[in-house]
Amino acid sequence: MTTRRDVAVVLSGGGMNGVLMEHGFMLRLRESSLWPRIGWIFGTSAGALVGSMAALDRLDELEEFLLGLQPDDTFRPNRLWQLPFLGLNQYALPKTIAERFGDLTAMARELAACECEVVVIATDASPGLAGPDARDYELVYSSRRTDPETMAQAILASAAISALVLPMRVGDRIATDGAWVRNFPLAHAYARPGVRRIVAFRYIPQYPTIGTAALVRLRERLSRFSRVPPIRAFIAELREAEARDARGEPGHLAEMILRLTRAAIVRNTVLEERLAEEKDQSIHELAQLQADLRDLVSRNVRSRRDRARLLAELEERFGRANFPFRGDPAHHGSWVHRGREPRCGPPRPARVDGGGQARPDPPRLRARRRRAARSGRRPLRIGRGSGLGPSRRAPPRPRRPGRHSPRRAPCSPVVSGRRSARAAGRARTA
């Protein structure tokens, strides 16, 4: 029997620490019953690397690779005179992976043949054209729809930390670390038809601060030359930078760029989680609304034919509804995000006890009926003559319940017994 692949895995970015933690996460997931059901892996930066190796089922090889990895094997520092032109480091990871895993294009061909689809996110760093810029700067590459050579380049570009290395060419685009635009690609998993469960891992880093400690040491070394006018002016600038840092302001340009980098990445990650929670809540409320409408029809429509027709129309209308938060209309409300699964699916069964007798209505429904009885409103009726369908004759108007005779559910045998006793008492009195 073929296992249905309806689980999506979402992996965030996170640098080297993120690679290590996501590798352990995927190892644990491989031991669970969800592993053979995984049909999609969505990853950014570190998640793109780990997700690709997990789809190929080469996590053991990745562990050996990570344990033997040295700093120069990933980001090799450039010489001082190269910094203004090539950035802080040389991106040595592509060459290291090719030496230890083989040709990257061949690995991308294996990904294209896998039953699990891999989707990686990169940031578009291509030069803009003259005029208004309306791009969203997000590049999405799928192992099913991207040629192997471009896919191999996209995985490496997604993991190219732009603060350390220059962007890379991916096909006809220039791409860099995908964390700038979508560090946690939950939205792509929600929008993919066929996904019924989402298992996500987000790495929450502790960003370093540069501060002014190096500037303090530099000022102390230059203090012996404070009589030289240019050096005296430079020392004054260093003191102002230290004062800004003491007030919580950026002491220098590098600190400001680091703060903006943190804000951009953390902000788009938080927005991604917030949108996912709103989608979960919307799906839950939609499923609850559908169940409540079924319950109202079942309770208030007396005719079996009208009841069946209205229930069929409700199912058909909800099936045609195309809400943007539903994803696949055939599987709405069946998502799981961080262990929370909304109640949805078939109509709720009738509330009965062990003897087959109907149980009392919930307190909220009883309170609603008492409020309707006190206000004198007509109870809801759905059927012929209710204005919701074709009508031949209007139904008899129900008696307005009095203050001392609240309306009760006709399905309860205890209520029926009380009414019979009350009627018998009135007959004896007469």
Side-chain angles (χ1 to χ4, degrees):
M1 182 178 178
T2 304
T3 303
R4 181 176 182 178
R5 294 186 175 269
D6 56 358
V7 174
V9 177
V10 181
L11 302 175
S12 72
M16 189 61 192
N17 290 337
V19 171
L20 294 171
M21 298 186 69
E22 289 174 352
H23 173 262
F25 173 77
M26 295 303 292
L27 285 177
R28 184 64 179 270
L29 188 60
R30 188 172 65 174
E31 299 173 357
S32 70
S33 59
L34 297 175
W35 183 260
R37 295 172 52 189
I38 297 177
W40 302 268
I41 298 179
F42 301 86
T44 298
S45 190
L49 290 174
V50 177
S52 300
M53 299 302 292
L56 295 174
D57 201 10
R58 300 175 68 173
L59 290 175
D60 296 333
E61 298 179 36
L62 179 61
E63 182 176 1
E64 297 178 4
F65 171 75
L66 295 175
L67 292 177
L69 199 62
Q70 299 298 321
D72 289 345
D73 295 335
T74 54
F75 303 103
R76 190 173 302 157
N78 284 322
R79 299 181 184 275
L80 183 62
W81 59 271
Q82 294 177 319
L83 297 183
F85 308 100
L86 301 178
L88 298 178
N89 296 271
Q90 177 186 356
Y91 196 26
L93 184 61
K95 183 179 178 180
T96 304
I97 292 179
E99 291 175 353
R100 304 188 186 182
F101 289 103
D103 185 19
L104 296 179
T105 305
M107 295 177 59
R109 291 194 184 95
E110 295 179 18
L111 280 178
C114 284
E115 296 182 357
C116 178
E117 180 182 2
V118 178
V119 179
V120 301
I121 312 299
T123 301
D124 190 358
S126 305
L129 302 177
D133 193 355
R135 296 178 296 172
D136 64 354
Y137 287 90
E138 181 181 13
L139 299 175
V140 182
Y141 298 94
S142 169
S143 60
R144 299 279 176 82
R145 297 182 294 274
T146 307
D147 63 275
E149 184 177 358
T150 305
M151 186 66 187
Q153 298 170 354
I155 295 173
L156 295 174
S158 179
I161 303 177
S162 53
L164 301 178
V165 298
L166 292 178
M168 298 178 57
R169 175 167 292 277
V170 180
D172 60 345
R173 312 301 296 174
I174 305 299
T176 186
D177 188 1
W180 290 103
V181 290
R182 200 181 295 271
N183 184 53
F184 196 27
L186 275 173
H188 291 286
Y190 273 86
R192 188 57 56 99
V195 175
R196 297 185 65 91
R197 178 165 295 184
I198 298 175
V199 183
F201 181 91
R202 175 195 171 189
Y203 172 70
I204 303 179
Q206 293 183 354
Y207 288 93
T209 57
I210 299 177
T212 57
L215 300 183
V216 172
R217 292 193 297 267
L218 179 61
R219 177 180 56 79
E220 292 174 351
R221 291 181 179 181
L222 293 177
S223 61
R224 69 183 69 178
F225 308 106
S226 59
R227 294 184 178 181
V228 180
I231 296 181
R232 185 167 59 248
F234 184 61
I235 291 176
E237 292 292 338
L238 293 178
R239 292 184 184 277
E240 290 184 8
E242 295 174 21
R244 288 195 300 270
D245 183 70
R247 295 193 301 266
E249 304 172 6
H252 43 78
L253 182 61
E255 176 68 21
M256 185 184 70
I257 294 176
L258 181 62
R259 294 187 185 187
L260 293 177
T261 300
R262 179 191 313 172
I265 296 176
V266 174
R267 175 63 177 171
N268 77 66
T269 305
V270 171
L271 285 178
E272 200 79 8
E273 285 192 331
R274 185 180 301 170
L275 290 175
E277 291 177 356
E278 291 176 357
K279 289 179 180 179
D280 283 342
Q281 183 179 0
S282 301
I283 292 170
H284 172 78
E285 293 296 332
L286 178 63
Q288 188 64 43
L289 174 62
Q290 186 177 3
D292 291 343
L293 287 176
R294 292 196 201 103
D295 187 65
L296 284 173
V297 172
S298 301
R299 286 177 175 274
N300 295 276
V301 179
R302 297 180 177 179
S303 173
R304 185 176 302 176
R305 180 183 301 175
D306 291 343
R307 184 165 57 247
R309 177 179 56 80
L310 285 174
L311 288 175
E313 290 180 359
L314 280 176
E315 295 292 336
E316 191 270 338
R317 183 64 187 90
F318 274 90
R320 286 189 293 107
N322 185 19
F323 295 96
F325 55 79
R326 284 181 56 172
D328 185 1
H331 305 306
H332 74 278
S334 298
W335 310 87
V336 170
H337 174 55
R338 294 190 297 184
R340 185 173 66 252
E341 185 171 7
R343 185 178 66 182
C344 59
R348 293 178 296 179
R351 296 184 295 271
V352 296
D353 56 19
Q357 302 294 333
R359 293 188 295 180
D361 295 326
R364 186 175 60 180
L365 185 56
R366 293 200 300 269
R368 187 186 306 170
R369 288 181 173 173
R370 285 195 297 268
R371 288 195 299 269
R374 287 194 297 266
S375 61
R377 293 178 299 177
R378 291 185 59 184
L380 176 64
R381 296 186 63 85
I382 302 178
R384 301 191 180 200
S386 61
L388 299 181
S391 173
R392 295 182 181 177
R393 60 188 180 115
R397 183 171 181 175
R399 174 180 294 181
R400 177 177 174 181
R403 181 177 180 182
H404 300 290
S405 57
R407 186 184 178 209
R408 301 183 182 275
C411 60
S412 174
V414 178
V415 172
S416 300
R418 289 178 180 175
R419 287 183 177 176
S420 300
R422 189 178 300 166
R426 287 197 297 266
R428 287 194 297 270
T429 303

